Amino acid sequence: DVKVTQSSRYLVKRTGEKVFLECVQDMDHENMFWYRQDPGLGLRLIYFSYDVKMKEKGDIPEGYSVSREKKERFSLILESASTNQTSMYLCASSLAAARSSYEQYFGPGTRLTVT
Amino acid sequence: DAKTTQPNSMESNEEEPVHLPCNHSTISGTDYIHWYRQLPSQGPEYVIHGLTSNVNNRMASLAIAEDRKSSTLILHRATLRDAAVYYCILRDLTQGGSEKLVFGKGTKLTVNP
């Protein structure tokens, strides 16, 4: 079974702090994604990566950056956390399209609260 | 991305079949129809996908209209564990960036015991 793990289920940070959310997948997937989910807005893509050291902006990248130094690990960074970044953050991974990426596999999510 | 339209919510009784509709009138010839679901307090999970023909797997069946402008996810016997938000998503796998999923609001399915 594919496993996507996220470093924390719940996280509380203060405004202005630098926040790291870590995601690890164990199935040698090329693609990794970060989404945030908010009530009434659904899931929105923040960033994705299709290879090590490669990244592309999603729909709402402002206030976030990412890092992918190893294939299995994709980090989301909030350089200076703000209260409007309080949300559920979901990581996902998938095979590259050339290898038939029909499925994205999601982690359990990290509920981040910024106070 | 072509858009999908789903009812906000549906109810079903346990052990009965459930038909979850999705309209996608602007679907293109190369768009695949994907369904994901999100159980409470979990990340989304893949359910099924198809292009033109009806599809079956262990979780559900996907019925695609002949003109492909609509589709229906069928749960043959709903259980309480099927209570979730179901998302219908179109993906053009021939296009660059097609790995991205664009989630709409989905349909919240309630299963009554």
Side-chain angles (χ1 to χ4, degrees), chain A residues 12-74:
Chain A
V12 180
K13 295 292 181 181
R14 293 187 182 274
T15 300
E17 277 193 80
K18 190 169 186 175
V19 181
F20 292 87
L21 301 182
E22 303 285 339
C23 176
V24 177
Q25 50 92 6
D26 66 358
M27 282 301 290
D28 200 35
H29 283 174
E30 289 83 2
N31 300 323
M32 296 189 75
F33 307 81
W34 275 106
Y35 297 84
R36 65 177 281 178
Q37 185 170 30
D38 302 286
L41 296 175
L43 280 95
R44 293 177 291 168
L45 182 65
I46 305 171
Y47 266 98
F48 73 100
S49 167
Y50 50 90
D51 201 351
V52 175
K53 297 190 187 296
M54 305 299 285
K55 62 185 179 185
E56 282 200 27
K57 293 180 179 179
D59 300 317
I60 51 163
E62 297 78 20
Y64 303 95
S65 62
V66 290
S67 171
R68 189 149 180 222
E69 296 296 319
K70 293 185 178 182
K71 191 175 186 180
E72 67 270 18
R73 188 179 297 269
F74 192 33

Side-chain angles (χ1 to χ4, degrees), chain B residues 1-10 19-27 33-35 62-63 68-73 85-90 102-108:
Chain B
D1 292 319
K3 288 193 172 178
T4 62
T5 305
Q6 299 176 254
N8 290 332
S9 62
M10 291 184 65
H19 290 233
L20 296 162
C22 181
N23 287 319
H24 28 78
S25 57
T26 59
I27 192 170
I33 302 158
H34 290 247
W35 284 81
L62 177 60
R68 301 209 325 125
K69 293 187 176 182
S70 66
S71 59
T72 303
L73 180 71
V85 178
Y86 287 79
Y87 299 97
C88 170
I89 300 166
L90 300 183
V102 179
F103 286 84
K105 302 282 176 65
T107 297
K108 183 175 182 179

Side-chain angles (χ1 to χ4, degrees), chain A residues 2-10 22-25 34-35 37 43 87-93 105-112, chain B residues 38-45:
Chain A
V2 175
K3 192 175 251 186
V4 179
T5 56
Q6 296 183 229
S7 49
S8 307
R9 286 303 303 270
Y10 301 94
E22 303 285 339
C23 176
V24 177
Q25 50 92 6
W34 275 106
Y35 297 84
Q37 185 170 30
L43 280 95
S87 186
M88 171 69 83
Y89 289 88
L90 289 153
C91 176
S93 73
Y105 295 86
F106 284 79
T110 295
R111 185 165 292 283
L112 173 67
Chain B
Q38 187 171 19
L39 303 171
S41 301
Q42 294 188 28
E45 64 175 345

